[in-house]
């Protein structure tokens, strides 16, 4: 049903009358939307078998290497560009009466969406996002459905709004060897492009970053720092699904980071650091069973080791 609604709205747009507004001549006239591909030659028709005068946004279109008017009420636009978008009107020569109004939109058909899906914990919803390698410059809609197995019933991946480039799947079966198959289809008046994206939930687990990172001096220790943090709050069952952690740190003024780990605990004593120096620390988390990916790094927290009072 979603396919039918979007296609019915988008694909006929090249011929559906658009809303028109009266111009200074007092004539509204018929108005149509016409879509054309960037770089192509576009033909605008006035629907009269005679030479007419063409105007774009109220300014007369003069003959040039990019535009040529024909004897049959036509205007040829060569190598269409975004600069040629606008409202085109045709008139009898010397007359202010509008014979036809065309709203020209120029763009490209959508390319195959580049899809990414992940879940921040067990057994949460799966979130998917996508992007187009190049923007089509036309309003583009996305049909978002999924199956649990290629032959299963099709369900909707829920978008937060029309035209959004993300969706969520809530009805997730954990530890199933049958992959989910997400179908993201981009649709605009010049074409469609589809990407079938298969995934197994356990393989796309990507926790949120650890929280509440603290970097504290240790009394009497001039070359050590105590690091403490909490699992991400979106990871609700760390006792059943433990995490492991990487630590990344650097001394202020240094040109590179050092990464150590993974470690299972949520605290660590950083040793062998330069006395009195400020150190910047971040932590990342991953499912202990090594499924999925590491989280993004936590926000950077800084601290210095203990110094003699």
């Amino acid at each position: 049903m979603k396919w039918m609604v979007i296609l019915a709205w988008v694909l006929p747009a090249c011929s559906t009358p658009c809303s028109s507004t009266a111009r200074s001549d007092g004539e509204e006239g018929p108005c149509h939307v016409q879509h054309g591909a960037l770089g192509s030659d576009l033909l605008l028709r006035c629907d009269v078998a005679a030479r007419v005068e063409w105007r774009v946004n109220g300014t007369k279109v003069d003959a040039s290497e990019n535009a040529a008017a024909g004897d049959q009420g036509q205007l040829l636009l060569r190598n269409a560009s975004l600069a040629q978008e606008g409202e085109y009107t045709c008139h009898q020569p010397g007359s202010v009466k509008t014979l036809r109004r065309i709203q020209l939109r120029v763009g490209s058909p959508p390319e195959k969406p580049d899809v990414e899906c992940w879940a921040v914990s067990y057994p949460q919803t799966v979130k998917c996002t996508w992007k187009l390698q190049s923007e089509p410059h036309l309003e583009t809609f996305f049909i978002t459905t999924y199956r649990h197995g290629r032959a299963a019933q099709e369900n909707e991946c829920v978008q937060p709004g029309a035209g959004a480039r993300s969706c969520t799947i809530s009805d997730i079966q954990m530890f199933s060897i049958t992959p989910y198959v997400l179908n993201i289809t981009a649709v605009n008046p010049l074409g469609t492009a589809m990407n079938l994206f298969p995934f197994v939930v356990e393989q796309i687990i990507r926790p949120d970053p650890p929280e509440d990172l603290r970097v504290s001096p240790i009394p009497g220790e001039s070359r050590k720092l105590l690091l403490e943090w909490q699992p991400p709050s979106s990871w609700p069952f760390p006792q059943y699904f433990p995490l492991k952690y990487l630590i990344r740190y650097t001394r202020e003024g240094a040109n590179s980071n050092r990464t150590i780990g993974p470690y299972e605990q949520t605290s660590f004593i950083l040793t062998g650091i330069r006395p009195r120096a400020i150190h910047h620390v971040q932590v990342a988390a991953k499912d202990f069973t090594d499924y999925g990916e590491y989280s993004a790094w936590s926000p950077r927290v800084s601290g210095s080791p203990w110094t003699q009072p």
Side-chain angles (χ1 to χ4, degrees):
M1 179 61 69
K2 190 174 183 180
W3 263 100
M4 296 174 63
V5 170
I6 292 181
L7 291 178
W9 194 94
V10 174
L11 297 184
C14 59
S15 58
T16 300
C18 63
S19 60
S20 58
T21 56
R23 302 182 68 88
S24 59
D25 55 22
E27 296 285 346
E28 291 192 3
C31 181
H32 300 266
V33 177
Q34 182 171 334
H35 297 92
L38 281 165
S40 66
D41 292 344
L42 305 180
L43 190 64
L44 279 58
R45 294 183 172 87
C46 191
D47 290 345
V48 295
R51 179 173 289 276
V52 296
E53 178 182 284
W54 284 91
R55 299 173 191 167
V56 56
N57 300 327
T59 301
K60 182 180 178 180
V61 179
D62 294 322
S64 68
E65 63 180 11
N66 293 324
D71 293 332
Q72 301 299 315
Q74 299 173 345
L75 177 66
L76 176 64
L77 300 178
R78 301 185 181 91
N79 192 26
S81 67
L82 294 175
Q84 291 173 306
E85 283 191 328
E87 183 179 284
Y88 287 79
T89 55
C90 57
H91 312 260
Q92 292 177 349
S95 172
V96 297
K97 182 178 180 180
T98 300
L99 300 175
R100 196 177 197 215
R101 182 169 296 131
I102 298 172
Q103 188 70 35
L104 180 64
R105 297 290 310 282
V106 179
S108 305
E111 297 178 347
K112 180 180 177 181
D114 184 11
V115 181
E116 179 184 21
C117 294
W118 71 95
V120 298
S121 72
Y122 297 95
Q124 296 287 331
T125 60
V126 170
K127 182 175 182 179
C128 299
T129 62
W130 55 90
K131 59 183 179 180
L132 303 177
Q133 292 302 316
S134 61
E135 285 300 318
H137 300 290
L138 294 173
E139 189 168 16
T140 300
F141 291 84
F142 299 93
I143 301 166
T144 56
T145 60
Y146 71 93
R147 300 176 188 271
H148 189 194
R150 292 183 179 271
Q153 177 183 349
E154 187 174 70
N155 299 284
E156 179 182 4
C157 186
V158 180
Q159 299 178 69
R165 299 191 180 189
S166 66
C167 67
T168 55
I169 302 173
S170 299
D171 185 18
I172 296 297
Q173 295 183 30
M174 300 298 299
F175 310 113
S176 170
I177 62 173
T178 302
Y180 286 80
V181 181
L182 178 69
N183 181 344
I184 304 294
T185 301
V187 183
N188 74 18
L190 296 182
T192 64
M194 177 178 67
N195 188 357
L196 294 177
F197 184 81
F199 64 87
V200 174
V201 176
E202 289 75 28
Q203 295 176 357
I204 62 167
I205 294 294
R206 188 173 71 202
D208 286 330
E211 300 173 359
D212 194 24
L213 172 61
R214 301 180 299 280
V215 179
S216 308
I218 301 174
E221 300 288 350
S222 63
R223 299 179 62 87
K224 296 181 181 180
L225 279 172
L226 174 63
L227 314 181
E228 300 172 286
W229 60 89
Q230 296 296 324
S233 55
S234 57
W235 191 270
F237 305 113
Q239 67 273 33
Y240 302 117
F241 303 102
L243 294 167
K244 58 183 179 179
Y245 302 93
L246 290 180
I247 298 170
R248 183 169 75 177
Y249 67 97
T250 184
R251 175 174 48 83
E252 186 166 289
N255 295 323
S256 60
N257 298 307
R258 184 181 178 190
T259 300
I260 56 176
Y263 304 107
E264 299 175 27
Q265 68 272 18
T266 56
S267 64
F268 186 80
I269 295 177
L270 198 59
T271 62
I273 62 176
R274 182 176 296 186
R276 300 180 180 273
I278 297 174
H279 288 75
H280 308 296
V281 182
Q282 294 172 288
V283 185
K286 188 179 184 181
D287 179 12
F288 178 78
T289 61
D290 222 27
Y291 280 125
E293 304 174 7
Y294 273 100
S295 71
W297 291 102
S298 65
R300 190 172 71 170
V301 176
S302 302
S304 301
W306 174 87
T307 57
Q308 182 72 37

